[in-house]
Amino acid sequence: MPPVLLPASAAAFAPRSAPNIVLNTKVDPWLTATLKRINRVKRPLNSVPQHFRCLTETLASPSAIWSLCSLMLPKAPESELQKDENPLVEALFNYQMITVEAYIVHVDMVSQNEVAFKLTPETIESLVEYHKDIHTVDTAAATWNWSEKEVQIKKLQEDFVQAANRFVYRTNSMALEGLEEDGAGELLCGRSEEVRSAIMGLFLPLLPPPPPPRVVDVVRPTPLLPSSTGVENWWQPTMSYSHHNPMDSWRVVPSSPNTTSAGDASSTWASMGANEMQLPSPSSSFSETYTTDCDSPPEYYSAPMTTAPYTSSMTSASIPQLPLPSTLLQQQCSTSMGFGGFDWGRYQDFALPFAM
């Protein structure tokens, strides 16, 4: 939609002048009938220039004042209104009627097909007085006090003066059907309600600044357990893990004769012959001590076996006595070599009955 250009007389605080009228090449019959009705002196209206001249002279007349609507407004602030049991008496004493009047500044019958009205100085003055003496007092009483309240009230009043002087009501050009003698007239077809709503929309409320934010202390719930810091840590178990560096099994020397590690046993069994093995029976509760008689210093040590019942934890104690690691260094360890006719490649066929 192209922008609508209004004449200079429609600007704020501009004095009244002759309206700006633009007619089409062919005048509508309803406009011709309206002009003939309002003219006391019969004038020829056979061409577009004749219609233009007649309409310009009629609307430029000082008496060409239109009544747009009427407003029922209080006479005093709300705190000063009289109270009465009879609502009719209360309305007569507390309310006043303000007629909104305007004059035509622009008629466009070509592009926009509209007519524009501007408020008269008397109407603007009445609205400004009501806004200053009544509306501003009521809206100030309905808000709380702050440091710049008076400045905001003054600014609100100045903005209303500017808005009232800039107010221009635009409607369809068919509104000229309400034209009467001497160029006066009133709006028809419910257009007065549109003007009333637009005028009341100029009375803005006083908006105070938002209150300062309040500082609220956050109360945290007391934990159920003294050592807990939050609900998320209640059911998390605390576990500690210890990591040991790997070590060769043959370098570990048992601290006591009754303790033998699995690594020592595996390296020892690989270097022993079948005739040096003595397998104890799981059913016996004791075994004889293994000894060797020789002229050289003893290469094996012996320790008595415990007489406790057989359990899985006693497996290491039931293994026959083994030579020290220092005596095994002189021999070559291999599972493929045999001693006394025993092939150690078949040692899995002779698994111990109690081995896990």
Side-chain angles (χ1 to χ4, degrees):
M1 183 177 180
V4 179
L5 300 178
L6 298 177
S9 58
F13 305 101
R16 181 181 179 181
S17 60
N20 181 30
I21 298 176
V22 181
L23 298 179
N24 205 344
T25 56
K26 183 179 180 180
V27 181
D28 295 335
W30 64 268
L31 181 59
T32 303
T34 302
L35 293 177
K36 289 181 178 180
R37 176 176 54 83
I38 65 173
N39 286 328
R40 296 178 182 179
V41 181
K42 299 300 180 180
R43 308 176 55 167
L45 298 173
N46 299 324
S47 63
V48 175
Q50 292 177 350
H51 285 79
F52 177 81
R53 188 180 306 110
C54 179
L55 187 59
T56 302
E57 294 177 358
T58 303
L59 297 179
S61 172
S63 59
I65 303 299
W66 286 61
S67 297
L68 301 185
C69 67
S70 297
L71 302 176
M72 182 72 72
L73 301 174
K75 292 182 180 180
E78 186 177 359
S79 59
E80 301 178 5
L81 296 178
Q82 299 181 8
K83 305 298 181 181
D84 195 280
E85 297 178 356
N86 191 348
L88 181 59
V89 175
E90 185 176 346
L92 292 176
F93 283 97
N94 296 332
Y95 290 90
Q96 58 181 338
M97 184 74 69
I98 297 179
T99 302
V100 179
E101 297 178 341
Y103 54 88
I104 296 177
V105 295
H106 177 65
V107 177
D108 184 6
M109 305 288 290
V110 179
S111 60
Q112 302 298 325
N113 196 26
E114 67 176 7
V115 58
F117 295 87
K118 181 178 174 58
L119 300 179
T120 61
E122 294 78 12
T123 300
I124 294 176
E125 183 179 358
S126 299
L127 295 175
V128 169
E129 290 180 357
Y130 168 77
H131 185 275
K132 180 180 179 181
D133 299 338
I134 301 174
H135 175 76
T136 304
V137 175
D138 289 341
T139 189
T143 56
W144 51 279
N145 297 326
W146 68 95
S147 59
E148 300 181 355
K149 184 175 183 180
E150 296 298 331
V151 178
Q152 293 295 329
I153 293 175
K154 184 178 180 180
K155 185 178 183 301
L156 185 66
Q157 178 67 20
E158 294 175 354
D159 293 345
F160 179 81
V161 173
Q162 294 289 333
N165 282 272
R166 289 194 307 264
F167 181 81
V168 174
Y169 174 68
R170 295 157 54 184
T171 185
N172 192 274
S173 60
M174 293 291 293
L176 293 176
E177 290 182 338
L179 190 63
E180 299 176 358
E181 295 180 0
D182 299 332
E186 61 182 18
L187 297 177
L188 305 176
C189 302
R191 294 185 178 92
S192 297
E193 294 295 333
E194 297 179 0
V195 179
R196 184 179 294 107
S197 300
I199 293 295
M200 297 307 297
L202 300 178
F203 296 92
L204 301 177
L206 182 63
L207 300 178
R214 297 182 301 175
V215 179
V216 180
D217 296 336
V218 180
V219 179
R220 297 184 178 181
T222 305
L224 298 179
L225 300 177
S227 61
S228 63
T229 58
V231 180
E232 65 277 359
N233 297 329
W234 285 0
W235 306 111
Q236 294 182 1
T238 302
M239 300 182 64
S240 60
Y241 300 91
S242 59
H243 300 277
H244 300 281
N245 296 329
M247 183 179 294
D248 297 337
S249 58
W250 63 273
R251 295 180 178 273
V252 180
V253 179
S255 59
S256 61
N258 295 335
T259 304
T260 305
S261 60
D264 298 338
S266 60
S267 60
T268 304
W269 282 102
S271 60
M272 294 181 62
N275 53 355
E276 299 177 358
M277 296 174 55
Q278 181 179 356
L279 301 179
S281 177
S283 58
S284 61
S285 58
F286 65 95
S287 61
E288 297 180 356
T289 304
Y290 177 81
T291 57
T292 28
D293 299 333
C294 59
D295 300 336
S296 63
E299 297 180 355
Y300 299 93
Y301 67 91
S302 60
M305 299 296 295
T306 58
T307 58
Y310 172 77
T311 57
S312 59
S313 60
M314 299 297 295
T315 304
S316 60
S318 303
I319 298 176
Q321 305 306 319
L322 304 177
L324 294 175
S326 58
T327 60
L328 299 177
L329 296 178
Q330 302 175 1
Q331 302 177 5
Q332 183 179 1
C333 299
S334 174
T335 56
S336 60
M337 62 184 300
F339 294 90
F342 182 79
D343 187 6
W344 279 99
R346 298 176 57 194
Y347 75 94
Q348 295 182 355
D349 299 338
F350 303 89
L352 299 178
F354 54 87
M356 300 300 295

